[in-house]
Amino acid sequence: MECCRRATPGTLLLFLAFLLLSSRTARSEEDRDGLWDAWGPWSECSRTCGGGASYSLRRCLSSKSCEGRNIRYRTCSNVDCPPEAGDFRAQQCSAHNDVKHHGQFYEWLPVSNDPDNPCSLKCQAKGTTLVVELAPKVLDGTRCYTESLDMCISGLCQIVGCDHQLGSTVKEDNCGVCNGDGSTCRLVRGQYKSQLSATKSDDTVVAIPYGSRHIRLVLKGPDHLYLETKTLQGAKGENSLSSTGTFLVDNSSVDFQKFPDKEILRMAGPLTADFIVKIRNSGSADSTVQFIFYQPIIHRWRETDFFPCSATCGGGYQLTSAECYDLRSNRVVADQYCHYYPENIKPKPKLQECNLDPCPASDGYKQIMPYDLYHPLPRWEATPWTACSSSCGGGIQSRAVSCVEEDIQGHVTSVEEWKCMYTPKMPIAQPCNIFDCPKWLAQEWSPCTVTCGQGLRYRVVLCIDHRGMHTGGCSPKTKPHIKEECIVPTPCYKPKEKLPVEAKLPWFKQAQELEEGAAVSEEPSFIPEAWSACTVTCGVGTQVRIVRCQVLLSFSQSVADLPIDECEGPKPASQRACYAGPCSGEIPEFNPDETDGLFGGLQDFDELYDWEYEGFTKCSESCGGGVQEAVVSCLNKQTREPAEENLCVTSRRPPQLLKSCNLDPCPARSSIDSAWNACNVLC
């Protein structure tokens, strides 16, 4: 192959022409610079903080004009000003407060962000609409626009990058990192909806951590926002945000706007404390809050050095690991803090061989050789998951994960965790039962129990699970009421009925049966079925139901029956008395006050205590026919424990209930009976 070729005459001429042109260009640049004197020293900075400008001059040595500029600029004092320093443009406006304008003194405020001439000093007289250009140029180093680093120099707006260099176009990312890629923070957005509560006057909307940027919240509704803060040193503060304006809260600027139907909160950041945004309920209607901000990732993975070699000779291995590092406190924290950020990817451990020199003859064998096919690498081993910490609404289940090693004989032993770091460690916790807990659902109200005047109306309140099925398990404290008074705006032209008029039996029986029930959980519990129909069509009868001991198998989401003794606590009653209304000839008309306590469905579920039949007294006679009286007790409906009788409504006490007993005839008296004793009275 030919390694080089002779240059042709044409190629040689082109090369000579290029050298000649380059020589002339270099000489012309030297001649041009040679006409200038050296650059002079930099001037004092125009500002002491907040970013100013400094200049340097040079002198033209030629009798003719020199090509180029005789002044150059650079930025200086690129440190933040203290909060009390105020705005630089505002300082220049206030300097004219002592100078009369058209024969009158004014207090001047800055007019910023002028799109036509941002580097002129325009000011507005406080309390008026008067805007005046007090100077054609602002001082060097004044920001062209409030939200930009660009600065005015000699009356012209000069581009300044986040690196504080003139002419630079480098910008900060959303995380505040100059020329960054946005990987050091995460976007957080969401919506909060207030829940009206008579007992809860305020609630937390969102917690915004230290260092967050570009925060914006919009509240729509009658409620009101306010702030709580906590510095890194633990100092706490509060700001009520009572009026529109810009405030300084823990050295963070807060811009708040209050309107009749909404509120807007903005904070550019970075926040100098942890901010907790709260809402104070007005009670008139629900409100919604939309929020968005960039949250710094303050916990990052940091790769460690190699751990010690696993063997002292004969070939071993050593690994690196990764530890979670808190950027604020500069210390190592638990791994779970880094797992919180999905953007955080834990670096994979690096593995390398080490101590490859043969072992001395005295040892006779190598300690560890992970690359031997007969000696597998250590591995992670986990125990079974624990039961979920909550039966609904989101819980946590955990397990133990350890590093184990298996020898040639198959014996497994626990070893140090770093030996398994070449593969990711299995999670030790996971969420479970993340479906919503059962909640009360109120049905539509029934018609009023009267056609005129004042009466009552009822509704069925169901406990509904996350599948929309009727179940149990809802808190009785939050249960909506099932009965309320109602007024029919029709005048009554007949004798006034006794008030309030209770619902008749069939409807209230339906409400009772729908409301009873218990939810099957992962703990064995008694689950009663629905009550049977009353055994009589009038008077007092009996109802029965089946009560099972059941448990929810969380893995398969199925229900299993258990022996009765597996369930703890008192077993719900499987039989009760019922009242089906008056029989013919007993009571001439329906009296709601008397029947209200007999039938289970007629009790007021908002009350805690009620009367119930509990067996019968001992028979009055041992033979020949006697009488037993039903025992009426006041019980706590939740605990089924006896209570003082004054806790139950007297008007609801069931009527006396008697039954015959010991109807067998008495045996004949024997002839050897002893004589009767004397009568205990004379007359």
Side-chain angles (χ1 to χ4, degrees):
M1 180 182 295
E2 185 180 11
C3 62
C4 56
R5 290 183 294 180
R6 186 184 299 273
T8 62
T11 305
L12 188 58
L13 288 174
L14 287 174
F15 180 67
L16 291 173
F18 172 75
L19 290 177
L20 180 61
L21 181 61
S22 300
S23 176
R24 289 180 176 177
T25 303
R27 189 163 57 252
S28 63
E29 291 177 353
E30 291 175 0
D31 292 343
R32 185 186 66 184
D33 291 337
L35 300 176
W36 289 101
D37 195 1
W39 286 105
W42 290 101
S43 69
E44 186 178 351
C45 193
S46 62
R47 299 186 64 185
T48 58
C49 62
S54 176
Y55 64 88
S56 173
L57 299 172
R58 64 178 178 175
R59 185 177 54 174
C60 179
L61 300 177
S62 173
S63 57
K64 300 179 181 179
S65 62
C66 295
E67 185 179 351
R69 297 176 60 87
N70 70 331
I71 187 171
R72 60 178 178 175
Y73 295 92
R74 70 175 182 183
T75 61
C76 50
S77 299
N78 294 308
V79 293
D80 292 335
C81 293
E84 62 273 10
D87 179 66
F88 192 37
R89 190 182 289 264
Q91 293 175 9
Q92 296 172 58
C93 284
S94 62
H96 293 264
N97 291 349
D98 298 333
V99 180
K100 286 186 178 181
H101 178 75
H102 295 299
Q104 187 174 351
F105 290 106
Y106 293 98
E107 183 180 349
W108 298 103
L109 302 176
V111 176
S112 303
N113 304 320
D114 182 1
D116 298 325
N117 189 4
C119 291
S120 64
L121 183 62
K122 289 185 179 179
C123 307
Q124 181 176 358
K126 186 176 181 179
T128 71
T129 58
L130 176 64
V131 176
V132 179
E133 183 181 286
L134 297 180
K137 294 188 295 184
V138 292
L139 297 178
D140 288 351
T142 306
R143 296 281 173 86
C144 304
Y145 307 100
T146 54
E147 300 297 327
S148 170
L149 292 175
D150 298 345
M151 67 172 57
C152 296
I153 297 178
S154 191
L156 297 176
C157 185
Q158 304 287 338
I159 296 176
V160 178
C162 61
D163 55 358
H164 300 289
Q165 298 299 314
L166 286 174
S168 171
T169 57
V170 177
K171 296 185 179 299
E172 287 185 350
D173 63 7
N174 290 320
C175 311
V177 178
C178 186
N179 205 24
D181 58 1
S183 62
T184 60
C185 66
R186 61 198 302 248
L187 175 65
V188 179
R189 65 168 69 215
Q191 178 171 297
Y192 166 90
K193 185 174 183 181
S194 66
Q195 301 291 331
L196 291 178
S197 173
T199 60
K200 197 172 185 181
S201 61
D202 55 10
D203 197 11
T204 298
V205 176
V206 63
I208 307 175
Y210 172 96
S212 296
R213 294 171 176 264
H214 311 300
I215 301 107
R216 186 174 188 269
L217 294 94
V218 179
L219 177 145
K220 295 181 180 179
D223 296 336
H224 175 61
L225 295 175
Y226 69 97
L227 297 174
E228 288 184 357
T229 59
K230 183 179 180 182
T231 65
L232 296 181
Q233 292 74 33
K236 296 182 179 180
E238 182 174 323
N239 191 292
S240 60
L241 300 178
S242 56
S243 61
T244 296
T246 300
F247 312 98
L248 205 60
V249 180
D250 277 319
N251 291 331
S252 294
S253 179
V254 177
D255 180 58
F256 179 69
Q257 293 176 282
K258 188 176 181 67
F259 301 95
D261 58 343
K262 68 177 181 180
E263 295 179 355
I264 300 176
L265 179 67
R266 294 187 183 92
M267 294 179 281
L271 298 185
T272 54
D274 292 330
F275 276 61
I276 300 174
V277 183
K278 291 197 169 186
I279 190 170
R280 185 168 287 116
N281 295 327
S282 67
S284 57
D286 290 341
S287 296
T288 59
V289 181
Q290 292 179 326
F291 55 85
I292 182 172
F293 60 92
Y294 285 90
Q295 174 185 341
I297 299 177
I298 60 174
H299 297 106
R300 310 277 295 184
W301 292 111
R302 186 174 69 174
E303 191 174 54
T304 65
D305 296 330
F306 279 98
F307 286 98
C309 191
S310 62
T312 57
C313 61
Y317 62 88
Q318 56 186 164
L319 296 157
T320 63
S321 181
E323 55 193 12
C324 188
Y325 192 71
D326 189 321
L327 301 178
R328 292 198 299 187
S329 61
N330 295 321
R331 60 188 179 91
V332 178
V333 295
D335 285 4
Q336 66 193 45
Y337 290 98
C338 287
H339 289 308
Y340 173 76
Y341 304 99
E343 301 86 347
N344 261 350
I345 300 176
K346 188 174 184 179
K348 292 183 178 180
K350 297 175 183 176
L351 184 145
Q352 69 179 16
E353 296 177 278
C354 53
N355 293 343
L356 300 178
D357 296 333
C359 293
S362 59
D363 288 352
Y365 65 93
K366 59 185 178 184
Q367 293 182 0
I368 295 178
M369 186 60 188
Y371 309 103
D372 193 332
L373 294 177
Y374 300 100
H375 190 101
L377 283 169
R379 67 180 185 273
W380 295 111
E381 200 167 80
T383 61
W385 291 107
T386 62
C388 194
S389 62
S390 178
S391 59
C392 62
I396 295 293
Q397 55 184 172
S398 59
R399 63 180 177 181
V401 177
S402 59
C403 181
V404 299
E405 195 172 47
E406 184 177 351
D407 61 18
I408 299 176
Q409 288 76 32
H411 299 142
V412 178
T413 57
S414 295
V415 295
E416 298 91 341
E417 283 199 352
W418 63 264
K419 292 186 177 182
C420 292
M421 287 298 184
Y422 64 92
T423 58
K425 186 177 180 179
M426 294 182 286
I428 61 173
Q430 69 177 11
C432 52
N433 294 344
I434 57 176
F435 49 83
D436 293 335
C437 291
K439 59 185 67 175
W440 294 111
L441 178 65
Q443 305 293 322
E444 294 184 0
W445 288 105
S446 71
C448 202
T449 54
V450 296
T451 57
C452 65
Q454 183 178 3
L456 296 171
R457 64 176 184 172
Y458 298 82
R459 63 180 175 183
V460 176
V461 178
L462 304 175
C463 185
I464 302 298
D465 65 12
H466 65 285
R467 297 165 297 183
M469 304 294 292
H470 174 228
T471 182
C474 296
S475 171
K477 296 181 180 179
T478 61
K479 178 183 173 185
H481 59 281
I482 65 168
K483 178 178 72 173
E484 70 177 13
E485 294 184 355
C486 55
I487 298 177
V488 179
T490 302
C492 295
Y493 298 103
K494 58 182 179 179
K496 189 175 182 181
E497 300 177 18
K498 184 178 180 181
L499 297 177
V501 178
E502 294 283 358
K504 299 302 184 286
L505 293 178
W507 193 93
F508 219 142
K509 179 174 182 295
Q510 177 193 18
Q512 178 211 21
E513 290 179 349
L514 284 172
E515 287 191 287
E516 288 183 351
V520 183
S521 67
E522 295 180 1
E523 294 294 329
S525 54
F526 289 112
I527 306 298
E529 294 185 356
W531 289 104
S532 67
C534 196
T535 55
V536 296
T537 57
C538 67
V540 178
T542 304
Q543 285 180 294
V544 296
R545 65 179 176 182
I546 299 174
V547 179
R548 291 188 171 91
C549 178
Q550 294 181 327
V551 66
L552 175 66
L553 304 178
S554 59
F555 181 76
S556 60
Q557 289 296 302
S558 59
V559 177
D561 291 331
L562 299 175
I564 293 297
D565 57 2
E566 290 289 333
C567 288
E568 297 181 356
K571 180 182 177 183
S574 57
Q575 181 176 338
R576 70 179 180 184
C578 55
Y579 183 68
C583 295
S584 176
E586 287 185 1
I587 302 176
E589 62 182 51
F590 174 73
N591 187 334
D593 286 338
E594 292 181 4
T595 60
D596 195 27
L598 283 170
F599 184 66
L602 281 176
Q603 57 186 326
D604 186 349
F605 288 99
D606 291 335
E607 297 177 5
L608 186 59
Y609 302 94
D610 210 351
W611 302 101
E612 283 197 16
Y613 288 115
E614 281 197 325
F616 288 83
T617 61
K618 186 177 179 181
C619 191
S620 61
E621 300 291 341
S622 60
C623 61
V627 176
Q628 284 180 292
E629 181 181 357
V631 178
V632 180
S633 299
C634 179
L635 295 181
N636 184 308
K637 294 191 295 184
Q638 293 183 358
T639 64
R640 312 297 300 170
E641 295 291 333
E644 296 292 335
E645 291 194 354
N646 59 2
L647 296 176
C648 292
V649 181
T650 305
S651 62
R652 293 184 176 178
R653 186 184 183 102
Q656 184 183 39
L657 184 63
L658 303 175
K659 74 173 183 178
S660 57
C661 55
N662 294 344
L663 300 178
D664 296 333
C666 295
R669 197 179 341 265
S670 171
S671 60
I672 62 173
D673 285 346
S674 60
W676 291 101
N677 63 345
C679 188
N680 62 345
V681 294
L682 296 177
C683 59

